[in-house]
Amino acid sequence: MKVMDWLFRREVLTDQEIDLIKVMEVKKEAGRNDVPSVVFEIREHGKHAAVGRCDLRMGMNEELYYAGQIGYTVYPMYRGHHYALKACRLLFQLAKQKYGMDSLIITCNPDNLPSRRTLEALGGELKAIVDVPKEHYLYQYGDVQKCIFEYHL
């Protein structure tokens, strides 16, 4: 699953269709209610232009119940190629193999049908559709509800 991108000396996860290029690792800071995470660029296999970004968040807290342990975005001109689906599959392997995670929560807005189809195609269980608390940062961005999907790795 891992190879080295010798040109940039970055960790790469690949399924031979897409590459996830690690661009940043965020460590947990003492006294804060955050969790460590790893951020990746999504690229078509062997190409240098990013088609999106994704991240894996290790751990769980109340904030992540609404935000999810995997986040992703595919840039508008690259949508429709299942890049988010492929990226999540690679992140599932990483979560299990490197971080020993047995399950994950991924969320989406109920009206975001492409994202919801992606989460359904990944084989997750829709646990609930919940209201986002008004004090949660996602609410400040206009996210008032979330579909909570659970995945057993």
Side-chain angles (χ1 to χ4, degrees):
M1 180 165 83
K2 293 183 189 177
V3 297
M4 288 300 293
D5 178 356
W6 295 107
L7 180 61
F8 296 106
R9 299 278 187 214
R10 291 187 180 159
E11 185 176 344
V12 177
L13 306 177
T14 187
D15 65 0
Q16 304 302 309
E17 293 182 46
I18 66 161
D19 300 328
L20 299 185
I21 312 296
K22 184 165 88 171
V23 295
M24 181 174 32
E25 200 165 321
V26 180
K27 306 284 186 194
K28 179 175 175 32
E29 292 186 33
R32 291 186 50 191
N33 190 28
D34 57 2
V35 297
S37 63
V38 184
V39 180
F40 297 88
E41 281 186 345
I42 305 169
R43 298 181 187 174
E44 293 176 324
H45 181 61
K47 298 192 177 174
H48 294 287
V51 300
R53 290 179 74 99
C54 61
D55 65 312
L56 173 65
R57 305 159 192 148
M58 286 71 72
M60 178 50 79
N61 59 28
E62 186 177 345
E63 180 177 302
L64 287 182
Y65 179 74
Y66 301 98
Q69 291 170 289
I70 288 179
Y72 55 80
T73 186
V74 175
Y75 304 140
M77 67 185 296
Y78 298 105
R79 292 180 180 160
H81 299 280
H82 306 290
Y83 293 131
L85 177 76
K86 295 170 188 176
C88 286
R89 286 181 178 151
L90 288 171
L91 292 178
F92 283 3
Q93 292 177 33
L94 180 67
K96 179 75 172 170
Q97 294 172 4
K98 184 170 183 177
Y99 298 105
M101 299 170 74
D102 293 321
S103 64
L104 289 167
I105 297 288
I106 307 177
T107 69
C108 70
N109 292 349
D111 61 349
N112 184 341
L113 297 181
S115 190
R116 191 163 176 171
R117 283 192 296 270
T118 295
L119 298 184
E120 290 167 352
L122 285 166
E125 178 185 352
L126 176 60
K127 299 297 279 187
I129 298 176
V130 298
D131 293 332
V132 176
K134 290 181 179 170
E135 59 276 359
H136 196 282
Y137 78 91
L138 290 172
Y139 191 89
Q140 309 309 314
Y141 290 112
D143 294 351
V144 295
Q145 283 192 316
K146 287 291 178 180
C147 295
I148 310 294
F149 284 85
E150 183 176 23
Y151 299 86
H152 298 283
L153 307 179

